[in-house]
């Protein structure tokens, strides 16, 4: 059974070796063998396998110069290690390197070779087989390139715990140690690259992009991670497409249509060069320009794409490149390559033929009759010059430095350095095994592995704990996921002015070790958009919203597609593309453009504004006129009219009017707490004092004229002290109201923000509208009572209470304050104070004018009427009118009584009053003469009744003639004294009071 198994494995190995003949591998013997997987070709020829005959291995096409350079980097590193006296002394490393042709199938063929050799060694067949050409098992594999290929290889190698160290596979899926147990890499994880791409888009303030990804384990996870990062940054994706180098023409056309019709100018591409090449060719054919390409490191420096004929379409490319390393002596090693000197490198012959476009005679494959279709490059890699038909034979003396190919481009060694680092990582793991001290090893009980019989899983164990310093002085250690954390360089494609080739200008870097927000650095001055422009292209779904506006959502559209909505009043935005407007502080309001907040306009009834000035002038005018009237009354205080109007109360009344006019000034100016608490009580108390004086004055005269014969009690009751007491009591009620108001709910200054948004009205908060209502209501109640008495006494002598004028003044007062209520309720802000000031001034001017202007006119301009005779004549006339009315009433009563008895005749009552009925004086005197005669002889008044006119005559002589005048008056007026003289005597008795 063992022999049978041996034969089976040998057959498998023989078949595998046949598929990879001497010209399809690079192989060298050694104590320890390292495997290698490199894309020497970009793909395989399409071939229909109809299975009518035994299937043949597919042919690899399109030579990859950079892939061959990477292979050379591995050979150089192994030879450098073998020459080192300190690293693995007395040990020789060998290699077995295969071409993956950038396909999974070819890579798996090579991987089966590694696995099969390891299984043969594990069977210990040396005692059964004499294998002189026996090659030791492969203890580690360097490769592969693409993430999709490495995924397939890792699944197979992981079954046997053969360590795989990739130099270019960056898919984040490969960090899953549960699935890929033996996979490690010297290239950073794509997760950082996807984050860096999103950071670049955010840096240039783009938010509307498209994505394209290779349909493999490299493109799909990379673009998925980018979507996650984009979503966090509010970056919207317009389209997302998958591509492959094996996509048919119809699929490529469909993707190009999407790109052409999209409004997104930035296109993020996670792909390799070979997968992207068909798409770029179609875009170039259609001449779709104006796009910005954001390239992953797999094609950012690919010579398949970075071609001068493609530059007009993809010249605005910004991409990521791995950090370049330094490999001393590598340039000279590359220049030494020659088919005759590279016996261990079966790829050198084809390289020479592709480089110089010739053929070596001993190769049937490359004979003149053969046709070569080698052309192209790979991701960041180069490709051979396309040739076909017949080639001339190679001389072998060609100079490798005379030809420009990607093979000799050693200025930026990125993938090549990763290969170099991968080989050294394995060598240092072997060195750790070689120098291991028993008892301090990594295995059971601190044991160490035997370097001469080392197995792959032991090397994997040491790789996971690897820690060494590379030739650039950097620390190398794989993390728990088998990754090396590295930084990226950011490159921009420029067109060389010297030879027109595409050059990669480094314009920034991305440091994954830095804090978030500080990882990206870009030098914008070095970037050329489209190869010549310095202006950053625009790639947003909507134009930026300027300060003063915010982004508004459009229904059915992505969040990046928005409309700009003006900030509402009271809100602002001071930045571009604001998601929301900020509210201004309470005392601020947005400016006209809503870009900032400005202090709100402060409004109150100011002294300096025209309205305030006008009201102030009217108040001052009222104070001046009241003071003038008070001065006139003081100067002429002993004249009859002043005395007849109760001068003491008139003084108090004028003082209260001064207070009324003055109280209006408290409503003007910026309200303060003290002015708010003073103005309403001052107004209320002043008006109550004024109305109280008028009320007492009017009521006193009315009571006197309608009372019976005055006694000493009446004189005492109607005295001056009682009048002031009544005024005080009426005013005291208002004072009590004000004190309660100020104690329970005192008014205060109030900044009102609610009436108008952009204005702060500084007003007085009255504290209690009920208290204000009581204050005004009590004032109006007194005014109503005063109006009632004034109306009732409208026929009394006008010298006493000016009843008609007081009645009119009360009417004005009521009209003003009744109008005040709706006006006060319907206004706001400073106009509330203005309305109240107008009401106070109107009422005050009405009282002043109606009560005092007539008296001042008589005092100043009609002094002839300001005499005692005029006053007494008016008083006596009223007395006679009352007496005559009483006599006529009694006469009518007597006549009716006589008529009812039936025995009396219609006799008229006798009277000593001189009367003339139904005729006038035939010789009337002029008015001035009549007035002079009356002043000399007395006064004569006519009293008209329904049945005639009675003429009353009184004479007033000098004091020495008073006795005679009194006797004559008694004689003339002795009209039924016993029955009808009560009223006359009452009014005569009142004269001394005036």
């Amino acid at each position: 059974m063992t022999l049978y198994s041996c034969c089976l494995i040998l057959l498998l190995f023989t078949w595998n070796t046949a598929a990879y003949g001497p010209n399809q591998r690079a192989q060298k013997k050694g104590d320890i063998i390292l495997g290698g997987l490199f894309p020497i070709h970009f793909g395989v020829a399409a071939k229909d396998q109809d299975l009518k005959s035994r299937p043949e291995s597919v042919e690899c096409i399109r030579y990859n110069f950079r892939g061959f350079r990477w292979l050379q980097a591995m050979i150089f590193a192994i030879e450098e290690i073998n020459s080192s006296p300190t690293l693995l002394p007395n040990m020789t490393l060998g290699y077995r390197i295969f071409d993956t042709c950038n396909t999974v199938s070819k890579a798996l063929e090579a991987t089966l070779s590694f696995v099969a050799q390891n299984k043969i060694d594990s069977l210990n067949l040396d005692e059964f087989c004499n294998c002189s050409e026996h090659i030791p098992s492969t203890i580690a594999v360097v490769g592969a390139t693409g993430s999709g290929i490495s995924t397939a290889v890792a699944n197979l190698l992981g079954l046997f715990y053969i360590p795989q160290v990739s130099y270019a596979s960056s898919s984040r899926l490969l960090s899953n140690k549960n699935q890929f147990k033996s996979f490690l890499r010297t290239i950073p994880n794509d997760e950082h690259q996807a984050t860096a791409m999103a950071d670049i888009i955010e840096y240039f303030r783009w938010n509307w992009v498209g994505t394209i990804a290779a349909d493999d384990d490299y493109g799909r996870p990379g673009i998925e991670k980018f979507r996650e990062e984009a979503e966090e940054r509010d970056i919207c994706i317009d389209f997302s497409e998958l591509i492959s180098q094996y996509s048919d023409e119809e699929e490529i056309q469909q993707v190009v249509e999407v790109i052409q019709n999209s409004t997104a100018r930035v296109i993020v591409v996670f792909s390799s060069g070979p997968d992207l090449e068909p798409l770029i060719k179609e875009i170039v054919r259609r001449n779709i320009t104006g796009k910005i390409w954001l390239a992953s490191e797999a094609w950012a420096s690919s010579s398949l794409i970075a071609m001068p004929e493609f530059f007009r379409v993809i010249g605005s490319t910004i991409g990521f490149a791995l950090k370049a390393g330094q490999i001393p002596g590598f340039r000279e090693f590359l220049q030494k390559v020659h088919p005759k000197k590279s016996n261990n490198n079966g790829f050198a012959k084809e390289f020479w033929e592709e480089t110089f476009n010739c053929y070596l005679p001993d190769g049937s494959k490359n004979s003149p009759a053969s046709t070569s279709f080698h052309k192209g490059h790979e991701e960041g890699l180069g490709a051979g010059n396309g040739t076909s038909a017949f080639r001339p034979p190679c001389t072998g003396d060609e100079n490798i430095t005379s030809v420009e190919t990607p093979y000799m481009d050693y200025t930026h060694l990125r993938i090549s350095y990763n290969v170099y680092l991968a080989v050294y990582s394995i060598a240092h793991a072997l060195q750790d095994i070689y120098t291991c001290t028993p008892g301090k090893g990594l295995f059971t009980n601190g044991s160490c592995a035997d370097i001469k019989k080392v197995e792959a899983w032991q090397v994997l164990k040491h790789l996971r704990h690897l820690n060494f310093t590379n030739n650039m002085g950097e620390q190398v250690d794989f993390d728990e996921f088998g990754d090396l954390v590295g930084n990226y360089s950011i490159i921009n494609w420029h067109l060389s002015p010297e030879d027109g080739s595409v050059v990669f200008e480094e314009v920034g870097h991305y440091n994954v070790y830095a804090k978030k927000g500080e990882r990206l650095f870009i030098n914008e001055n070095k970037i050329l958009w489209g190869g010549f422009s310095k202006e950053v292209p625009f790639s947003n779904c909507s134009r930026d919203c300027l300060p003063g506006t915010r982004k508004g959502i459009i229904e059915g559209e992505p969040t990046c597609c928005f409309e700009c909505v003006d900030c509402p009043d009271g809100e602002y935005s001071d930045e571009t593309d604001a998601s929301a407007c900020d509210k201004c502080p309470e005392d601020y309001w947005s400016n006209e453009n809503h870009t900032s907040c400005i202090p709100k306009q402060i409004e109150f009834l100011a002294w300096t504004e025209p309205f305030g000035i006008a009201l102030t002038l009217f108040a001052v005018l009222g104070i001046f006129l009241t003071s003038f009237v008070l001065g006139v009354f003081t100067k002429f205080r002993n004249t009859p009219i002043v005395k007849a109007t109760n001068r003491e109360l008139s003084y108090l009344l004028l003082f209260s009017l001064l207070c009324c006019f003055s109280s209006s000034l408290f409503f003007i100016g910026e309200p303060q707490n003290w002015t708010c608490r003073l103005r309403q009580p001052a107004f209320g108390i002043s008006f109550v004092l004024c109305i109280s004086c008028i009320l007492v004055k009017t009521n006193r005269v009315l009571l006197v004229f309608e009372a019976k014969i005055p006694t000493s009690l009446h004189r005492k009751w109607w005295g001056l002290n009682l009048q002031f007491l009544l005024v005080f009591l009426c005013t005291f009620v208002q004072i009590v109201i004000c004190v309660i108001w100020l104690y329970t709910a005192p008014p205060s200054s109030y900044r009102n923000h609610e009436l108008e948004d952009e204005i702060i009205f500084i007003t007085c908060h009255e504290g209690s509208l009920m208290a204000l209502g009581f204050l005004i209501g009590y004032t109006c109640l007194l005014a109503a009572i005063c109006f009632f008495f004034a109306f009732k006494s409208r026929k009394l002598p006008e010298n006493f209470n000016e009843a008609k004028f007081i009645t009119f003044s009360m009417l004005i007062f009521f009209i003003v304050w009744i109008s005040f209520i709706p006006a006060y309720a319907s206004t706001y802000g400073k106009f509330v104070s203005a309305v109240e000031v107008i009401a106070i001034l109107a009422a005050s001017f009405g009282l002043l004018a109606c009560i005092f202007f007539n008296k001042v006119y008589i005092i100043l301009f009609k002094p002839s009427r300001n005499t005692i005779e005029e006053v007494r004549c008016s008083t006596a006339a009223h007395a006679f009118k009352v007496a005559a009315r009483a006599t006529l009433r009694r006469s009518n009563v007597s006549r009716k009584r006589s008529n009812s008895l039936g025995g009396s005749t219609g006799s008229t009552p006798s009277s000593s009053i001189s009367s003339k009925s139904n005729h006038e004086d035939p010789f009337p005197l002029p008015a001035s003469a009549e007035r002079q005669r009356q002043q000399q002889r007395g006064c004569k008044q006519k009293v008209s009744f329904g049945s005639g006119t009675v003429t009353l005559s009184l004479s007033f002589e000098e004091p020495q003639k008073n006795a005679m005048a009194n006797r004559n008056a008694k004689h003339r007026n002795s009209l039924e004294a016993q029955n009808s003289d009560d009223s006359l005597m009452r009014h005569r008795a009142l004269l001394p009071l005036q």
Side-chain angles (χ1 to χ4, degrees):
M1 182 65 183
T2 305
L3 182 60
Y4 174 78
S5 300
C6 175
C7 294
L8 181 62
I9 295 175
L10 283 174
L11 285 174
L12 177 63
F13 180 71
T14 303
W15 178 84
N16 192 272
T17 304
Y20 284 86
N23 292 333
Q24 293 177 304
R25 72 176 67 182
Q27 182 172 300
K28 183 181 179 180
K29 294 181 179 181
D31 299 324
I32 297 175
I33 300 299
L34 304 184
L37 298 173
F38 294 92
I40 308 302
H41 295 86
F42 282 118
V44 296
K47 187 176 181 180
D48 184 18
Q49 300 284 358
D50 57 5
L51 301 180
K52 290 181 179 181
S53 60
R54 184 173 182 172
E56 296 180 358
S57 179
V58 292
E59 182 183 5
C60 297
I61 60 173
R62 302 171 66 198
Y63 194 79
N64 182 3
F65 284 98
R66 291 192 178 181
F68 184 70
R69 172 154 52 88
W70 301 340
L71 180 148
Q72 288 287 78
M74 179 176 177
I75 295 174
F76 174 78
I78 290 175
E79 292 185 358
E80 192 176 61
I81 292 169
N82 289 336
S83 302
S84 172
T86 57
L87 190 59
L88 295 177
N90 303 319
M91 297 290 295
T92 302
L93 296 179
Y95 52 83
R96 296 174 65 206
I97 304 174
F98 296 97
D99 179 12
T100 65
C101 299
N102 202 38
T103 61
V104 173
S105 60
K106 285 292 183 181
L108 287 178
E109 283 184 41
T111 307
L112 282 173
S113 175
F114 302 141
V115 172
Q117 183 63 45
N118 282 25
K119 291 306 292 182
I120 290 174
D121 288 347
S122 66
L123 293 176
N124 266 330
L125 296 180
D126 290 344
E127 57 183 282
F128 300 101
C129 305
N130 183 15
C131 302
S132 58
E133 297 296 324
H134 172 66
I135 299 176
S137 62
T138 303
I139 55 93
V141 176
V142 177
T145 306
S147 295
I149 298 173
S150 288
T151 301
V153 171
N155 279 318
L156 184 54
L157 293 178
L159 294 175
F160 305 97
Y161 290 92
I162 300 174
Q164 175 188 358
V165 184
S166 175
Y167 48 85
S169 300
S170 55
S171 173
R172 61 181 182 138
L173 296 180
L174 292 168
S175 296
N176 186 351
K177 294 299 102 179
N178 291 325
Q179 184 176 358
F180 308 104
K181 302 177 178 64
S182 62
F183 181 83
L184 303 97
R185 52 187 162 189
T186 57
I187 186 172
N189 189 328
D190 273 340
E191 187 165 345
H192 298 297
Q193 185 177 190
T195 303
M197 283 182 167
D199 286 344
I200 287 179
I201 293 174
E202 186 178 35
Y203 176 85
F204 287 111
R205 301 180 65 83
W206 298 325
N207 65 11
W208 191 235
V209 301
T211 63
I212 296 175
D215 191 10
D216 56 23
D217 289 338
Y218 169 72
R220 289 191 301 268
I223 212 66
E224 182 62 32
K225 175 62 177 178
F226 170 78
R227 287 198 195 99
E228 296 174 4
E229 295 292 334
E231 186 176 353
E232 291 181 3
R233 294 164 174 78
D234 293 328
I235 298 170
C236 298
I237 297 175
D238 184 27
F239 64 88
S240 186
E241 299 292 333
L242 296 175
I243 59 173
S244 171
Q245 62 177 320
Y246 303 111
S247 299
D248 57 36
E249 186 176 350
E250 184 179 349
E251 293 174 340
I252 296 296
Q253 294 281 355
Q254 183 179 355
V255 174
V256 173
E257 288 287 344
V258 171
I259 295 173
Q260 190 170 17
N261 296 330
S262 173
T263 57
R265 295 189 63 188
V266 174
I267 302 175
V268 179
V269 182
F270 254 96
S271 174
S272 64
D275 287 327
L276 184 62
E277 183 186 20
L279 178 67
I280 295 299
K281 285 182 177 179
E282 180 61 24
I283 291 174
V284 170
R285 190 185 68 81
R286 296 196 185 192
N287 196 27
I288 302 174
T289 59
K291 302 295 183 181
I292 299 102
W293 300 84
L294 192 55
S296 64
E297 52 80 25
W299 72 273
S301 57
S302 171
S303 56
L304 268 180
I305 311 299
M307 301 177 67
E309 56 266 34
F310 296 167
F311 190 80
R312 73 179 188 276
V313 170
I314 56 175
S316 295
T317 298
I318 290 182
F320 291 87
L322 301 175
K323 184 179 179 181
Q326 301 296 327
I327 307 178
F330 186 52
R331 176 181 180 183
E332 292 75 14
F333 179 80
L334 292 177
Q335 293 175 354
K336 291 179 182 179
V337 66
H338 196 280
K340 295 180 180 180
K341 298 178 182 179
S342 303
N343 297 325
N344 298 321
N345 192 344
F347 300 106
K349 181 173 179 284
E350 186 179 1
F351 164 75
W352 197 267
E353 291 176 338
E354 294 294 337
T355 301
F356 298 107
N357 198 23
C358 62
Y359 75 96
L360 294 171
D362 58 343
S364 60
K365 176 183 175 182
N366 296 296
S367 64
S370 66
T371 301
S372 174
F373 298 95
H374 305 304
K375 182 182 180 182
H377 317 272
E378 208 253 322
E379 12 113 16
L381 332 166
N385 300 322
T387 63
S388 62
F390 299 98
R391 292 177 174 178
C394 302
T395 64
D397 297 328
E398 291 85 2
N399 185 3
I400 193 68
T401 59
S402 64
V403 181
E404 289 188 5
T405 62
Y407 172 77
M408 293 301 295
D409 184 11
Y410 45 79
T411 53
H412 298 288
L413 300 176
R414 295 185 172 92
I415 300 297
S416 298
Y417 184 76
N418 284 352
V419 174
Y420 181 80
L421 190 59
V423 174
Y424 264 88
S425 297
I426 298 171
H428 278 279
L430 293 171
Q431 178 71 11
D432 290 343
I433 294 174
Y434 181 80
T435 59
C436 177
T437 303
K440 296 182 180 179
L442 299 177
F443 305 102
T444 306
N445 299 323
S447 61
C448 297
D450 185 358
I451 190 63
K452 294 181 180 181
K453 297 180 181 180
V454 65
E455 297 184 33
W457 65 272
Q458 294 172 327
V459 178
L460 177 60
K461 178 67 172 180
H462 277 271
L463 279 171
R464 290 179 177 177
H465 293 81
L466 185 65
N467 192 333
F468 73 99
T469 302
N470 62 14
N471 66 323
M472 296 179 64
E474 297 174 346
Q475 201 71 19
V476 177
D477 59 330
F478 296 102
D479 62 19
E480 58 180 324
F481 304 108
D483 299 335
L484 286 183
V485 180
N487 298 326
Y488 291 98
S489 296
I490 300 173
I491 59 175
N492 179 223
W493 289 13
H494 291 187
L495 203 59
S496 174
E498 299 174 357
D499 55 5
S501 63
V502 178
V503 295
F504 310 118
E505 180 71 22
E506 186 170 338
V507 296
H509 62 264
Y510 188 82
N511 184 3
V512 298
Y513 297 101
K515 294 187 297 184
K516 190 175 182 179
E518 300 178 0
R519 296 173 182 173
L520 180 65
F521 169 76
I522 292 180
N523 187 352
E524 292 190 53
N525 295 326
K526 291 185 177 182
I527 298 179
L528 292 179
W529 304 100
F532 61 89
S533 176
K534 290 284 187 180
E535 183 180 357
V536 178
F538 179 82
S539 184
N540 292 40
C541 183
S542 303
R543 286 285 173 182
D544 292 343
C545 288
L546 299 176
T549 62
R550 64 169 178 85
K551 294 188 292 187
I553 297 175
I554 302 177
E555 188 174 356
E557 295 290 336
T559 57
C560 299
C561 301
F562 51 82
E563 57 183 351
C564 296
V565 181
D566 291 335
C567 290
D569 292 337
E571 297 183 9
Y572 75 101
S573 67
D574 56 359
E575 59 184 13
T576 304
D577 277 347
S579 299
C581 298
D582 298 321
K583 284 191 175 183
C584 292
E586 187 178 18
D587 291 343
Y588 288 80
W589 194 249
S590 55
N591 61 359
E592 184 177 358
N593 298 325
H594 299 278
T595 56
S596 62
C597 292
I598 56 177
K600 287 184 179 181
Q601 180 182 348
I602 304 295
E603 278 205 6
F604 52 85
L605 190 59
W607 298 99
T608 54
E609 65 175 287
F611 201 20
I613 293 173
L615 293 177
T616 302
L617 291 177
F618 276 107
V620 172
L621 177 63
I623 293 172
F624 172 77
L625 291 178
T626 306
S627 301
F628 175 75
V629 172
L630 182 60
V632 170
F633 267 55
T634 303
K635 183 177 181 180
F636 296 94
R637 60 185 175 278
N638 294 321
T639 59
I641 284 184
V642 175
K643 288 182 178 182
T645 56
N646 197 338
R647 62 186 174 189
E648 288 78 8
L649 281 179
S650 296
Y651 292 155
L652 187 57
L653 177 59
L654 288 170
F655 170 75
S656 66
L657 285 175
L658 279 176
C659 293
C660 290
F661 283 114
S662 300
S663 67
S664 66
L665 298 177
F666 289 114
F667 292 83
I668 305 174
E670 181 177 354
Q672 304 291 336
N673 286 335
W674 68 272
T675 57
C676 291
R677 293 169 185 170
L678 183 61
R679 65 182 193 173
Q680 296 292 8
F683 140 72
I685 294 172
S686 299
F687 264 94
V688 165
L689 179 62
C690 177
I691 301 300
S692 299
C693 291
I694 298 173
L695 175 62
V696 171
K697 180 179 178 183
T698 305
N699 188 44
R700 170 186 172 274
V701 176
L702 182 64
L703 289 174
V704 168
F705 273 94
E706 291 187 354
K708 301 296 181 179
I709 299 298
T711 65
S712 60
L713 181 61
H714 284 100
R715 294 176 181 273
K716 182 178 180 181
W717 185 250
W718 294 329
L720 189 61
N721 292 334
L722 181 60
Q723 297 175 41
F724 282 110
L725 178 61
L726 292 176
V727 170
F728 171 76
L729 291 177
C730 292
T731 307
F732 181 74
V733 174
Q734 187 76 306
I735 293 174
V736 171
I737 293 174
C738 293
V739 170
I740 295 174
W741 181 8
L742 293 177
Y743 180 77
T744 57
S748 60
S749 177
Y750 172 63
R751 299 171 73 90
N752 195 329
H753 299 267
E754 300 174 358
L755 298 177
E756 290 190 20
D757 294 327
E758 69 274 15
I759 300 175
I760 299 177
F761 290 100
I762 303 182
T763 59
C764 285
H765 187 274
E766 303 300 348
S768 172
L769 290 178
M770 182 180 294
L772 179 62
F774 274 119
L775 184 142
I776 297 177
Y778 178 68
T779 305
C780 292
L781 175 64
L782 291 181
I785 297 173
C786 184
F787 174 78
F788 170 77
F789 286 124
F791 180 80
K792 190 174 181 181
S793 60
R794 65 189 183 281
K795 296 181 180 181
L796 295 182
E798 62 180 11
N799 300 83
F800 284 91
N801 64 342
E802 309 86 19
K804 290 184 295 184
F805 296 107
I806 292 177
T807 303
F808 188 62
S809 68
M810 290 298 104
L811 286 176
I812 294 175
F813 185 88
F814 278 119
I815 291 172
V816 168
W817 289 107
I818 290 174
S819 303
F820 165 78
I821 295 173
Y824 185 87
S826 60
T827 54
Y828 61 89
K830 64 181 181 180
F831 300 106
V832 174
S833 299
V835 165
E836 193 160 357
V837 171
I838 292 172
I840 292 172
L841 293 178
S844 301
F845 274 114
L847 293 173
L848 179 66
C850 292
I851 296 176
F852 291 102
F853 281 5
N854 180 50
K855 300 304 178 187
V856 172
Y857 174 78
I858 294 174
I859 292 172
L860 296 180
F861 302 105
K862 300 291 183 178
S864 59
R865 296 178 58 186
N866 188 14
T867 59
I868 188 63
E869 291 83 1
E870 187 76 15
V871 175
R872 288 177 177 176
C873 180
S874 175
T875 304
H878 180 76
F880 283 121
K881 289 178 185 178
V882 174
R885 287 193 187 99
T887 301
L888 286 176
R889 282 197 298 271
R890 284 192 291 269
S891 172
N892 291 334
V893 170
S894 299
R895 187 184 305 113
K896 291 178 181 179
R897 185 180 299 113
S898 299
N899 291 335
S900 62
L901 294 176
S904 59
T905 61
S907 61
T908 60
S910 61
S911 176
S912 60
I913 301 176
S914 174
S915 67
K916 42 183 189 172
S917 177
N918 299 326
H919 65 274
E920 301 291 338
D921 189 352
F923 305 105
L925 294 175
S928 60
E930 177 66 20
R931 187 179 299 108
Q932 183 177 4
R933 187 183 71 177
Q934 289 178 3
Q935 289 176 355
Q936 292 175 355
R937 299 177 53 195
C939 67
K940 184 181 291 184
Q941 297 289 337
K942 293 181 180 180
V943 181
S944 297
F945 301 98
S947 59
T949 301
V950 178
T951 301
L952 305 177
S953 176
L954 292 175
S955 65
F956 302 98
E957 303 295 340
E958 296 299 327
Q960 59 268 25
K961 301 178 181 180
N962 284 343
M964 184 62 68
N966 290 334
R967 285 194 299 269
N968 292 336
K970 289 179 182 180
H971 177 71
R972 288 194 301 268
N973 295 308
S974 58
L975 179 63
E976 297 181 2
Q978 67 277 10
N979 296 319
S980 63
D981 220 21
D982 291 346
S983 178
L984 176 64
M985 293 301 294
R986 181 181 64 238
H987 292 292
R988 289 183 62 196
L990 187 62
L991 287 178
L993 295 175
Q994 306 302 323

